[in-house]
Every structure is written in C-alpha cells, then in structure tokens.
CSV table of all heavy atoms in Angstrom, one decimal:
chain,number,residue,atom,x,y,z
A,1,TRP,N,-4.6,11.1,-3.2
A,1,TRP,CA,-3.7,10.2,-2.5
A,1,TRP,C,-2.3,10.4,-2.9
A,1,TRP,O,-1.3,10.2,-2.1
A,1,TRP,CB,-4.1,8.8,-2.7
A,1,TRP,CG,-5.3,8.4,-1.8
A,1,TRP,CD1,-6.5,8.1,-2.3
A,1,TRP,CD2,-5.3,8.3,-0.4
A,1,TRP,NE1,-7.3,7.8,-1.2
A,1,TRP,CE2,-6.6,8.0,0.0
A,1,TRP,CE3,-4.4,8.5,0.6
A,1,TRP,CZ2,-7.0,7.8,1.3
A,1,TRP,CZ3,-4.8,8.3,1.9
A,1,TRP,CH2,-6.0,8.0,2.3
A,2,ILE,N,-2.1,10.8,-4.1
A,2,ILE,CA,-0.7,11.1,-4.6
A,2,ILE,C,0.0,12.2,-3.8
A,2,ILE,O,1.1,12.1,-3.3
A,2,ILE,CB,-0.7,11.4,-6.1
A,2,ILE,CG1,-1.1,10.1,-6.9
A,2,ILE,CG2,0.7,11.8,-6.5
A,2,ILE,CD1,-1.3,10.3,-8.3
A,3,GLU,N,-0.8,13.3,-3.6
A,3,GLU,CA,-0.2,14.4,-2.8
A,3,GLU,C,0.0,14.0,-1.3
A,3,GLU,O,1.0,14.3,-0.7
A,3,GLU,CB,-1.2,15.6,-2.8
A,3,GLU,CG,-0.7,16.8,-2.1
A,3,GLU,CD,0.7,17.3,-2.6
A,3,GLU,OE1,1.0,17.2,-3.8
A,3,GLU,OE2,1.5,17.8,-1.8
A,4,VAL,N,-0.9,13.2,-0.8
A,4,VAL,CA,-0.7,12.7,0.6
A,4,VAL,C,0.5,11.8,0.7
A,4,VAL,O,1.3,11.9,1.6
A,4,VAL,CB,-2.0,12.0,1.1
A,4,VAL,CG1,-1.8,11.4,2.5
A,4,VAL,CG2,-3.2,12.9,1.1
A,5,ASP,N,0.7,11.0,-0.3
A,5,ASP,CA,1.9,10.2,-0.4
A,5,ASP,C,3.2,11.0,-0.5
A,5,ASP,O,4.2,10.6,0.2
A,5,ASP,CB,1.8,9.2,-1.6
A,5,ASP,CG,2.9,8.2,-1.6
A,5,ASP,OD1,3.1,7.5,-0.6
A,5,ASP,OD2,3.6,8.1,-2.6
A,6,ARG,N,3.1,12.1,-1.2
A,6,ARG,CA,4.3,12.9,-1.3
A,6,ARG,C,4.7,13.5,0.1
A,6,ARG,O,5.8,13.7,0.5
A,6,ARG,CB,4.1,14.1,-2.2
A,6,ARG,CG,4.2,13.7,-3.7
A,6,ARG,CD,4.1,14.9,-4.6
A,6,ARG,NE,3.9,14.4,-5.9
A,6,ARG,CZ,2.9,14.8,-6.7
A,6,ARG,NH1,2.1,15.7,-6.3
A,6,ARG,NH2,2.8,14.3,-7.9
A,7,ARG,N,3.6,13.8,0.9
A,7,ARG,CA,3.8,14.4,2.2
A,7,ARG,C,4.2,13.4,3.3
A,7,ARG,O,4.8,13.7,4.3
A,7,ARG,CB,2.6,15.2,2.6
A,7,ARG,CG,2.4,16.4,1.8
A,7,ARG,CD,1.1,17.1,2.2
A,7,ARG,NE,0.8,18.2,1.3
A,7,ARG,CZ,0.0,19.2,1.6
A,7,ARG,NH1,-0.6,19.2,2.7
A,7,ARG,NH2,-0.2,20.1,0.7
A,8,HIS,N,3.7,12.1,3.1
A,8,HIS,CA,3.9,11.1,4.1
A,8,HIS,C,4.4,9.8,3.4
A,8,HIS,O,3.7,8.8,3.4
A,8,HIS,CB,2.6,10.8,4.8
A,8,HIS,CG,2.0,12.0,5.4
A,8,HIS,ND1,2.5,12.5,6.6
A,8,HIS,CD2,1.0,12.8,5.0
A,8,HIS,CE1,1.8,13.6,6.9
A,8,HIS,NE2,0.9,13.8,6.0
A,9,PRO,N,5.6,9.8,2.8
A,9,PRO,CA,6.0,8.6,2.0
A,9,PRO,C,6.3,7.4,2.8
A,9,PRO,O,6.4,6.3,2.2
A,9,PRO,CB,7.3,9.2,1.3
A,9,PRO,CG,7.8,10.2,2.3
A,9,PRO,CD,6.6,10.9,2.8
A,10,ASN,N,6.4,7.5,4.1
A,10,ASN,CA,6.7,6.3,4.9
A,10,ASN,C,5.5,5.8,5.7
A,10,ASN,O,5.7,5.0,6.6
A,10,ASN,CB,7.9,6.6,5.9
A,10,ASN,CG,9.1,6.9,5.1
A,10,ASN,OD1,9.5,6.3,4.2
A,10,ASN,ND2,9.8,8.0,5.6
A,11,ASN,N,4.3,6.2,5.2
A,11,ASN,CA,3.1,5.7,5.9
A,11,ASN,C,2.5,4.6,5.1
A,11,ASN,O,2.0,4.8,4.0
A,11,ASN,CB,2.2,6.9,6.0
A,11,ASN,CG,0.9,6.6,6.8
A,11,ASN,OD1,0.4,5.5,6.7
A,11,ASN,ND2,0.5,7.6,7.6
A,12,PRO,N,2.4,3.4,5.7
A,12,PRO,CA,1.9,2.2,5.0
A,12,PRO,C,0.4,2.4,4.7
A,12,PRO,O,-0.1,1.9,3.7
A,12,PRO,CB,2.1,1.0,5.9
A,12,PRO,CG,2.6,1.6,7.2
A,12,PRO,CD,3.0,3.0,7.0
A,13,ASP,N,-0.4,3.1,5.6
A,13,ASP,CA,-1.8,3.3,5.3
A,13,ASP,C,-2.0,4.1,4.0
A,13,ASP,O,-2.9,3.8,3.2
A,13,ASP,CB,-2.4,4.1,6.5
A,13,ASP,CG,-2.5,3.3,7.7
A,13,ASP,OD1,-3.0,2.1,7.6
A,13,ASP,OD2,-2.1,3.8,8.8
A,14,VAL,N,-1.2,5.1,3.8
A,14,VAL,CA,-1.3,5.9,2.6
A,14,VAL,C,-1.0,5.1,1.4
A,14,VAL,O,-1.7,5.1,0.4
A,14,VAL,CB,-0.3,7.2,2.6
A,14,VAL,CG1,-0.3,7.9,1.3
A,14,VAL,CG2,-0.8,8.1,3.8
A,15,ALA,N,0.1,4.3,1.5
A,15,ALA,CA,0.4,3.4,0.3
A,15,ALA,C,-0.7,2.4,0.1
A,15,ALA,O,-1.0,2.1,-1.1
A,15,ALA,CB,1.7,2.6,0.7
A,16,PHE,N,-1.3,1.9,1.1
A,16,PHE,CA,-2.5,1.0,0.9
A,16,PHE,C,-3.6,1.6,0.2
A,16,PHE,O,-4.1,1.0,-0.8
A,16,PHE,CB,-2.9,0.5,2.3
A,16,PHE,CG,-4.1,-0.5,2.2
A,16,PHE,CD1,-3.9,-1.8,1.8
A,16,PHE,CD2,-5.3,-0.1,2.6
A,16,PHE,CE1,-5.0,-2.7,1.7
A,16,PHE,CE2,-6.4,-0.9,2.5
A,16,PHE,CZ,-6.2,-2.2,2.1
A,17,TYR,N,-4.0,2.8,0.6
A,17,TYR,CA,-5.1,3.4,-0.1
A,17,TYR,C,-4.8,3.9,-1.5
A,17,TYR,O,-5.7,3.9,-2.3
A,17,TYR,CB,-5.7,4.5,0.8
A,17,TYR,CG,-6.5,3.9,2.0
A,17,TYR,CD1,-6.0,3.9,3.2
A,17,TYR,CD2,-7.7,3.2,1.7
A,17,TYR,CE1,-6.6,3.3,4.3
A,17,TYR,CE2,-8.3,2.5,2.8
A,17,TYR,CZ,-7.8,2.6,4.0
A,17,TYR,OH,-8.5,1.9,5.1
A,18,LEU,N,-3.6,4.2,-1.7
A,18,LEU,CA,-3.1,4.6,-3.0
A,18,LEU,C,-3.2,3.3,-3.9
A,18,LEU,O,-3.7,3.4,-5.1
A,18,LEU,CB,-1.7,5.2,-3.0
A,18,LEU,CG,-1.2,5.9,-4.3
A,18,LEU,CD1,-2.2,6.9,-4.8
A,18,LEU,CD2,0.1,6.6,-4.0
A,19,ALA,N,-2.8,2.2,-3.4
A,19,ALA,CA,-2.9,0.9,-4.1
A,19,ALA,C,-4.3,0.6,-4.5
A,19,ALA,O,-4.6,0.2,-5.6
A,19,ALA,CB,-2.3,-0.2,-3.3
A,20,ARG,N,-5.2,0.8,-3.5
A,20,ARG,CA,-6.6,0.5,-3.7
A,20,ARG,C,-7.2,1.4,-4.8
A,20,ARG,O,-8.0,1.0,-5.6
A,20,ARG,CB,-7.4,0.7,-2.4
A,20,ARG,CG,-6.9,-0.3,-1.4
A,20,ARG,CD,-7.9,-1.2,-0.7
A,20,ARG,NE,-9.3,-0.9,-1.1
A,20,ARG,CZ,-10.2,-1.6,-0.5
A,20,ARG,NH1,-10.0,-2.5,0.4
A,20,ARG,NH2,-11.5,-1.4,-0.9
A,21,THR,N,-6.7,2.7,-4.8
A,21,THR,CA,-7.2,3.6,-5.8
A,21,THR,C,-6.8,3.2,-7.2
A,21,THR,O,-7.6,3.2,-8.2
A,21,THR,CB,-6.7,5.0,-5.5
A,21,THR,OG1,-7.2,5.4,-4.2
A,21,THR,CG2,-7.1,6.0,-6.6
A,22,TYR,N,-5.5,2.8,-7.3
A,22,TYR,CA,-5.0,2.3,-8.6
A,22,TYR,C,-5.7,1.0,-9.0
A,22,TYR,O,-6.0,0.8,-10.2
A,22,TYR,CB,-3.5,2.1,-8.6
A,22,TYR,CG,-2.7,3.4,-8.8
A,22,TYR,CD1,-1.9,3.8,-7.8
A,22,TYR,CD2,-2.8,4.1,-9.9
A,22,TYR,CE1,-1.1,5.0,-8.0
A,22,TYR,CE2,-2.1,5.3,-10.1
A,22,TYR,CZ,-1.3,5.7,-9.1
A,22,TYR,OH,-0.6,6.9,-9.3
A,23,GLU,N,-6.0,0.2,-8.1
A,23,GLU,CA,-6.8,-1.0,-8.4
A,23,GLU,C,-8.2,-0.7,-8.9
A,23,GLU,O,-8.6,-1.3,-9.9
A,23,GLU,CB,-6.9,-1.9,-7.1
A,23,GLU,CG,-7.6,-3.2,-7.3
A,23,GLU,CD,-7.6,-4.0,-6.0
A,23,GLU,OE1,-7.4,-3.5,-4.9
A,23,GLU,OE2,-7.7,-5.2,-6.2
A,24,ALA,N,-8.8,0.3,-8.3
A,24,ALA,CA,-10.2,0.7,-8.8
A,24,ALA,C,-10.1,1.3,-10.2
A,24,ALA,O,-11.0,1.2,-11.0
A,24,ALA,CB,-10.8,1.7,-7.8
A,25,LEU,N,-9.0,1.9,-10.5
A,25,LEU,CA,-8.8,2.5,-11.9
A,25,LEU,C,-8.2,1.4,-12.9
A,25,LEU,O,-7.9,1.7,-14.0
A,25,LEU,CB,-7.8,3.6,-11.8
A,25,LEU,CG,-8.2,4.8,-11.0
A,25,LEU,CD1,-7.1,5.8,-10.8
A,25,LEU,CD2,-9.4,5.5,-11.7
A,26,GLU,N,-8.1,0.2,-12.4
A,26,GLU,CA,-7.7,-1.0,-13.2
A,26,GLU,C,-6.3,-0.8,-13.7
A,26,GLU,O,-5.9,-1.2,-14.8
A,26,GLU,CB,-8.6,-1.3,-14.3
A,26,GLU,CG,-10.0,-1.7,-13.8
A,26,GLU,CD,-11.0,-2.0,-14.9
A,26,GLU,OE1,-10.6,-2.0,-16.1
A,26,GLU,OE2,-12.2,-2.2,-14.6
A,27,GLN,N,-5.4,-0.2,-12.9
A,27,GLN,CA,-4.0,0.0,-13.2
A,27,GLN,C,-3.2,-1.0,-12.3
A,27,GLN,O,-2.7,-0.6,-11.2
A,27,GLN,CB,-3.6,1.4,-12.9
A,27,GLN,CG,-4.2,2.4,-13.9
A,27,GLN,CD,-3.8,3.8,-13.7
A,27,GLN,OE1,-2.7,4.1,-13.1
A,27,GLN,NE2,-4.6,4.8,-14.2
A,28,LYS,N,-3.2,-2.2,-12.7
A,28,LYS,CA,-2.7,-3.3,-11.9
A,28,LYS,C,-1.2,-3.2,-11.5
A,28,LYS,O,-0.9,-3.4,-10.4
A,28,LYS,CB,-2.9,-4.6,-12.7
A,28,LYS,CG,-2.5,-5.9,-12.0
A,28,LYS,CD,-2.8,-7.1,-12.9
A,28,LYS,CE,-2.3,-8.3,-12.3
A,28,LYS,NZ,-2.5,-9.5,-13.1
A,29,GLU,N,-0.4,-2.7,-12.5
A,29,GLU,CA,1.0,-2.6,-12.2
A,29,GLU,C,1.3,-1.6,-11.1
A,29,GLU,O,2.0,-1.8,-10.2
A,29,GLU,CB,1.7,-2.2,-13.5
A,29,GLU,CG,3.2,-2.3,-13.4
A,29,GLU,CD,3.9,-2.1,-14.8
A,29,GLU,OE1,3.5,-2.8,-15.7
A,29,GLU,OE2,4.7,-1.2,-14.8
A,30,GLU,N,0.6,-0.4,-11.2
A,30,GLU,CA,0.8,0.6,-10.1
A,30,GLU,C,0.2,0.1,-8.8
A,30,GLU,O,0.8,0.4,-7.8
A,30,GLU,CB,0.1,1.9,-10.5
A,30,GLU,CG,0.8,2.7,-11.6
A,30,GLU,CD,2.2,3.2,-11.1
A,30,GLU,OE1,2.2,3.9,-10.1
A,30,GLU,OE2,3.2,2.9,-11.8
A,31,SER,N,-0.9,-0.5,-8.9
A,31,SER,CA,-1.5,-1.1,-7.7
A,31,SER,C,-0.6,-2.0,-7.0
A,31,SER,O,-0.4,-1.9,-5.7
A,31,SER,CB,-2.9,-1.8,-8.0
A,31,SER,OG,-3.4,-2.4,-6.9
A,32,THR,N,-0.1,-3.0,-7.7
A,32,THR,CA,0.9,-4.0,-7.1
A,32,THR,C,2.1,-3.3,-6.5
A,32,THR,O,2.6,-3.7,-5.4
A,32,THR,CB,1.3,-5.0,-8.2
A,32,THR,OG1,0.1,-5.6,-8.7
A,32,THR,CG2,2.2,-6.0,-7.6
A,33,LYS,N,2.6,-2.3,-7.2
A,33,LYS,CA,3.8,-1.5,-6.7
A,33,LYS,C,3.5,-0.9,-5.3
A,33,LYS,O,4.3,-1.0,-4.4
A,33,LYS,CB,4.1,-0.4,-7.7
A,33,LYS,CG,5.3,0.5,-7.2
A,33,LYS,CD,5.7,1.5,-8.3
A,33,LYS,CE,4.8,2.7,-8.1
A,33,LYS,NZ,5.3,3.8,-9.0
A,34,TYR,N,2.3,-0.4,-5.1
A,34,TYR,CA,2.0,0.2,-3.8
A,34,TYR,C,1.6,-0.8,-2.8
A,34,TYR,O,1.9,-0.6,-1.6
A,34,TYR,CB,0.9,1.3,-4.0
A,34,TYR,CG,1.5,2.6,-4.5
A,34,TYR,CD1,1.4,2.8,-5.9
A,34,TYR,CD2,2.2,3.5,-3.7
A,34,TYR,CE1,2.0,4.0,-6.4
A,34,TYR,CE2,2.7,4.6,-4.2
A,34,TYR,CZ,2.7,4.9,-5.6
A,34,TYR,OH,3.2,6.0,-6.1
A,35,TYR,N,1.0,-1.9,-3.2
A,35,TYR,CA,0.8,-3.0,-2.2
A,35,TYR,C,2.1,-3.5,-1.7
A,35,TYR,O,2.3,-3.8,-0.5
A,35,TYR,CB,0.0,-4.2,-2.8
A,35,TYR,CG,-1.5,-3.9,-2.9
A,35,TYR,CD1,-2.2,-4.0,-4.1
A,35,TYR,CD2,-2.2,-3.5,-1.7
A,35,TYR,CE1,-3.6,-3.8,-4.1
A,35,TYR,CE2,-3.6,-3.2,-1.8
A,35,TYR,CZ,-4.2,-3.4,-3.0
A,35,TYR,OH,-5.6,-3.2,-3.1
A,36,GLN,N,3.1,-3.7,-2.6
A,36,GLN,CA,4.4,-4.1,-2.2
A,36,GLN,C,5.1,-3.1,-1.2
A,36,GLN,O,5.7,-3.4,-0.3
A,36,GLN,CB,5.3,-4.3,-3.4
A,36,GLN,CG,6.7,-4.8,-3.1
A,36,GLN,CD,6.7,-6.2,-2.3
A,36,GLN,OE1,6.1,-7.1,-2.8
A,36,GLN,NE2,7.3,-6.2,-1.2
A,37,ARG,N,4.8,-1.8,-1.5
A,37,ARG,CA,5.4,-0.8,-0.6
A,37,ARG,C,4.8,-0.9,0.8
A,37,ARG,O,5.5,-0.7,1.8
A,37,ARG,CB,5.1,0.6,-1.2
A,37,ARG,CG,6.0,1.6,-0.6
A,37,ARG,CD,6.2,2.8,-1.4
A,37,ARG,NE,5.9,4.0,-0.6
A,37,ARG,CZ,5.3,5.1,-1.0
A,37,ARG,NH1,4.9,5.2,-2.3
A,37,ARG,NH2,5.1,6.0,-0.2
A,38,VAL,N,3.5,-1.3,0.9
A,38,VAL,CA,2.9,-1.5,2.2
A,38,VAL,C,3.7,-2.5,3.0
A,38,VAL,O,4.1,-2.3,4.1
A,38,VAL,CB,1.4,-2.0,2.1
A,38,VAL,CG1,0.9,-2.5,3.4
A,38,VAL,CG2,0.6,-0.9,1.5
A,39,LEU,N,4.1,-3.6,2.3
A,39,LEU,CA,4.8,-4.7,2.9
A,39,LEU,C,6.2,-4.2,3.3
A,39,LEU,O,6.7,-4.5,4.4
A,39,LEU,CB,4.9,-5.9,2.0
A,39,LEU,CG,3.6,-6.5,1.6
A,39,LEU,CD1,3.8,-7.7,0.7
A,39,LEU,CD2,2.8,-6.9,2.8
A,40,ASP,N,6.9,-3.5,2.4
A,40,ASP,CA,8.2,-2.9,2.7
A,40,ASP,C,8.2,-2.0,3.9
A,40,ASP,O,9.1,-2.0,4.7
A,40,ASP,CB,8.8,-2.2,1.4
A,40,ASP,CG,9.0,-3.2,0.3
A,40,ASP,OD1,9.1,-4.4,0.5
A,40,ASP,OD2,9.1,-2.7,-0.9
A,41,LEU,N,7.2,-1.1,4.0
A,41,LEU,CA,7.1,-0.2,5.0
A,41,LEU,C,6.8,-0.8,6.4
A,41,LEU,O,6.9,-0.2,7.4
A,41,LEU,CB,6.1,0.9,4.7
A,41,LEU,CG,6.5,1.9,3.6
A,41,LEU,CD1,5.4,2.8,3.2
A,41,LEU,CD2,7.8,2.7,4.0
A,42,SER,N,6.3,-2.0,6.3
A,42,SER,CA,5.8,-2.7,7.6
A,42,SER,C,6.7,-3.8,8.0
A,42,SER,O,6.2,-4.8,8.7
A,42,SER,CB,4.4,-3.2,7.3
A,42,SER,OG,3.5,-2.1,7.0
A,43,ARG,N,7.9,-3.7,7.7
A,43,ARG,CA,8.9,-4.8,8.0
A,43,ARG,C,9.2,-5.0,9.5
A,43,ARG,O,9.4,-6.1,9.9
A,43,ARG,CB,10.2,-4.7,7.2
A,43,ARG,CG,10.0,-5.0,5.7
A,43,ARG,CD,11.3,-5.3,5.1
A,43,ARG,NE,11.2,-5.3,3.6
A,43,ARG,CZ,10.7,-6.4,3.0
A,43,ARG,NH1,10.4,-7.5,3.6
A,43,ARG,NH2,10.7,-6.3,1.6
A,44,ASN,N,9.3,-3.9,10.2
A,44,ASN,CA,9.6,-4.1,11.6
A,44,ASN,C,8.4,-4.6,12.4
A,44,ASN,O,7.3,-4.3,12.0
A,44,ASN,CB,10.2,-2.8,12.2
A,44,ASN,CG,9.2,-1.7,12.5
A,44,ASN,OD1,8.2,-1.9,13.1
A,44,ASN,ND2,9.5,-0.5,12.0
A,45,PRO,N,8.7,-5.3,13.5
A,45,PRO,CA,7.6,-5.9,14.2
A,45,PRO,C,6.5,-5.0,14.8
A,45,PRO,O,5.4,-5.3,14.8
A,45,PRO,CB,8.3,-6.6,15.4
A,45,PRO,CG,9.7,-6.8,14.9
A,45,PRO,CD,10.0,-5.7,14.0
A,46,GLU,N,7.0,-3.8,15.2
A,46,GLU,CA,6.0,-2.8,15.8
A,46,GLU,C,5.1,-2.3,14.7
A,46,GLU,O,3.9,-2.2,14.9
A,46,GLU,CB,6.7,-1.7,16.4
A,46,GLU,CG,5.8,-0.7,17.2
A,46,GLU,CD,5.0,-1.4,18.3
A,46,GLU,OE1,5.5,-2.3,19.0
A,46,GLU,OE2,3.8,-1.0,18.5
A,47,ALA,N,5.6,-2.0,13.5
A,47,ALA,CA,4.8,-1.6,12.4
A,47,ALA,C,3.9,-2.7,11.9
A,47,ALA,O,2.7,-2.4,11.6
A,47,ALA,CB,5.7,-1.1,11.2
A,48,ALA,N,4.4,-3.9,11.9
A,48,ALA,CA,3.6,-5.1,11.5
A,48,ALA,C,2.4,-5.2,12.4
A,48,ALA,O,1.3,-5.5,12.0
A,48,ALA,CB,4.4,-6.3,11.5
A,49,LYS,N,2.6,-5.0,13.7
A,49,LYS,CA,1.5,-5.2,14.6
A,49,LYS,C,0.4,-4.1,14.4
A,49,LYS,O,-0.8,-4.4,14.4
A,49,LYS,CB,2.0,-5.1,16.1
A,49,LYS,CG,0.9,-5.3,17.1
A,49,LYS,CD,1.4,-5.1,18.5
A,49,LYS,CE,2.5,-6.0,18.9
A,49,LYS,NZ,2.9,-5.8,20.3
A,50,ARG,N,0.8,-2.9,14.2
A,50,ARG,CA,-0.1,-1.7,14.0
A,50,ARG,C,-0.8,-1.9,12.7
A,50,ARG,O,-1.9,-1.4,12.5
A,50,ARG,CB,0.7,-0.4,14.0
A,50,ARG,CG,1.1,0.1,15.3
A,50,ARG,CD,1.5,1.6,15.2
A,50,ARG,NE,2.4,1.8,14.1
A,50,ARG,CZ,3.8,1.8,14.1
A,50,ARG,NH1,4.4,1.4,15.3
A,50,ARG,NH2,4.5,2.0,13.1
A,51,ASN,N,-0.2,-2.5,11.7
A,51,ASN,CA,-0.8,-2.5,10.3
A,51,ASN,C,-1.2,-4.0,9.9
A,51,ASN,O,-1.2,-4.2,8.7
A,51,ASN,CB,0.3,-2.0,9.4
A,51,ASN,CG,0.6,-0.5,9.7
A,51,ASN,OD1,-0.3,0.3,9.7
A,51,ASN,ND2,1.8,-0.2,10.0
A,52,ALA,N,-1.5,-4.8,10.8
A,52,ALA,CA,-1.8,-6.2,10.5
A,52,ALA,C,-2.8,-6.4,9.5
A,52,ALA,O,-2.7,-7.2,8.5
A,52,ALA,CB,-2.2,-7.0,11.8
A,53,PHE,N,-3.9,-5.6,9.5
A,53,PHE,CA,-5.0,-5.7,8.6
A,53,PHE,C,-4.5,-5.4,7.2
A,53,PHE,O,-4.7,-6.2,6.2
A,53,PHE,CB,-6.2,-4.9,9.0
A,53,PHE,CG,-7.3,-4.9,7.9
A,53,PHE,CD1,-8.1,-6.0,7.8
A,53,PHE,CD2,-7.5,-3.9,7.0
A,53,PHE,CE1,-9.1,-6.1,6.9
A,53,PHE,CE2,-8.4,-3.9,6.1
A,53,PHE,CZ,-9.3,-5.0,6.0
A,54,ILE,N,-3.9,-4.2,7.0
A,54,ILE,CA,-3.5,-3.8,5.7
A,54,ILE,C,-2.4,-4.7,5.1
A,54,ILE,O,-2.3,-4.9,3.9
A,54,ILE,CB,-3.2,-2.3,5.5
A,54,ILE,CG1,-2.0,-1.9,6.4
A,54,ILE,CG2,-4.4,-1.5,5.9
A,54,ILE,CD1,-1.5,-0.5,6.1
A,55,ILE,N,-1.5,-5.2,6.0
A,55,ILE,CA,-0.5,-6.1,5.5
A,55,ILE,C,-1.1,-7.4,4.9
A,55,ILE,O,-0.7,-7.8,3.9
A,55,ILE,CB,0.5,-6.4,6.7
A,55,ILE,CG1,1.3,-5.2,7.0
A,55,ILE,CG2,1.4,-7.6,6.3
A,55,ILE,CD1,2.1,-5.4,8.3
A,56,GLY,N,-2.1,-7.9,5.7
A,56,GLY,CA,-2.8,-9.1,5.2
A,56,GLY,C,-3.5,-8.9,3.8
A,56,GLY,O,-3.4,-9.7,2.9
A,57,GLN,N,-4.1,-7.7,3.7
A,57,GLN,CA,-4.8,-7.4,2.5
A,57,GLN,C,-3.7,-7.2,1.3
A,57,GLN,O,-4.0,-7.6,0.2
A,57,GLN,CB,-5.6,-6.1,2.7
A,57,GLN,CG,-6.7,-6.2,3.6
A,57,GLN,CD,-7.8,-7.1,3.0
A,57,GLN,OE1,-8.3,-6.8,1.9
A,57,GLN,NE2,-8.2,-8.1,3.8
A,58,ALA,N,-2.6,-6.5,1.6
A,58,ALA,CA,-1.6,-6.3,0.6
A,58,ALA,C,-1.0,-7.6,0.1
A,58,ALA,O,-0.8,-7.8,-1.1
A,58,ALA,CB,-0.5,-5.4,1.1
A,59,LYS,N,-0.7,-8.5,1.1
A,59,LYS,CA,-0.2,-9.8,0.7
A,59,LYS,C,-1.1,-10.6,-0.2
A,59,LYS,O,-0.7,-11.2,-1.2
A,59,LYS,CB,0.1,-10.6,2.0
A,59,LYS,CG,1.4,-10.2,2.7
A,59,LYS,CD,1.6,-11.1,3.9
A,59,LYS,CE,2.8,-10.7,4.7
A,59,LYS,NZ,3.0,-11.4,5.9
A,60,ALA,N,-2.4,-10.6,0.2
A,60,ALA,CA,-3.4,-11.3,-0.6
A,60,ALA,C,-3.5,-10.7,-2.0
A,60,ALA,O,-3.6,-11.5,-3.0
A,60,ALA,CB,-4.8,-11.2,0.1
A,61,LYS,N,-3.4,-9.4,-2.2
A,61,LYS,CA,-3.5,-8.8,-3.5
A,61,LYS,C,-2.3,-9.1,-4.3
A,61,LYS,O,-2.4,-9.4,-5.5
A,61,LYS,CB,-3.6,-7.3,-3.4
A,61,LYS,CG,-4.9,-6.8,-2.7
A,61,LYS,CD,-6.1,-7.1,-3.6
A,61,LYS,CE,-7.3,-6.6,-3.0
A,61,LYS,NZ,-8.5,-6.8,-3.9
A,62,ILE,N,-1.1,-9.1,-3.7
A,62,ILE,CA,0.1,-9.5,-4.5
A,62,ILE,C,0.1,-10.9,-4.9
A,62,ILE,O,0.4,-11.2,-6.1
A,62,ILE,CB,1.4,-9.1,-3.6
A,62,ILE,CG1,1.5,-7.6,-3.5
A,62,ILE,CG2,2.6,-9.8,-4.2
A,62,ILE,CD1,2.6,-7.2,-2.6
A,63,VAL,N,-0.3,-11.8,-4.0
A,63,VAL,CA,-0.3,-13.2,-4.4
A,63,VAL,C,-1.4,-13.4,-5.4
A,63,VAL,O,-1.2,-14.2,-6.4
A,63,VAL,CB,-0.7,-14.1,-3.1
A,63,VAL,CG1,-1.0,-15.5,-3.5
A,63,VAL,CG2,0.5,-14.1,-2.2
A,64,GLY,N,-2.5,-12.8,-5.3
A,64,GLY,CA,-3.6,-12.9,-6.3
A,64,GLY,C,-3.2,-12.3,-7.7
A,64,GLY,O,-3.8,-12.8,-8.7
A,65,ASN,N,-2.3,-11.4,-7.7
A,65,ASN,CA,-1.9,-10.8,-9.0
A,65,ASN,C,-0.8,-11.6,-9.7
A,65,ASN,O,-0.4,-11.2,-10.8
A,65,ASN,CB,-1.4,-9.3,-8.8
A,65,ASN,CG,-2.6,-8.4,-8.5
A,65,ASN,OD1,-3.7,-8.7,-8.9
A,65,ASN,ND2,-2.4,-7.3,-7.8
A,66,GLN,N,-0.2,-12.6,-9.1
A,66,GLN,CA,0.9,-13.3,-9.7
A,66,GLN,C,0.4,-14.4,-10.6
A,66,GLN,O,-0.6,-14.8,-10.7
A,66,GLN,CB,1.8,-14.0,-8.6
A,66,GLN,CG,2.5,-12.9,-7.8
A,66,GLN,CD,3.3,-13.6,-6.7
A,66,GLN,OE1,3.3,-14.7,-6.4
A,66,GLN,NE2,4.2,-12.7,-6.1
C-alpha cells in the first residue's frame, strides 16, 4: 500500500486501506494519520458522495481513537 500511495497520493481509497493496514499492525498513530487523510482528501462534495462509506469509517476511527 505504501507504493500505491506514492503513485496515487490523492486517492482516499488508498489512504483508507493504508490506514487499515497500519491499524492491523497496531500502529495507532500512523493509522490515525491516514484516516485523517481520507477526510482531508474527501472535502469537496463530489468526492464526499463517491467516498461516503470510507469517510464514515474514517470518522468513526478518529473519534474512537481520541
């Protein structure tokens, strides 16, 4: 996922799955960073519509980690 992220740094799906990977590795700080990036990359309304599921998941993870 790191290499995919290098090639597609503005793709919220890539950031989401990278966050999940870090979460599975129990690297909470890195995981939270990438969940936040999902939210940052999905700020415009069109992106938000396309990424509604992962945005909801990212928000839940960030709130749960606070």
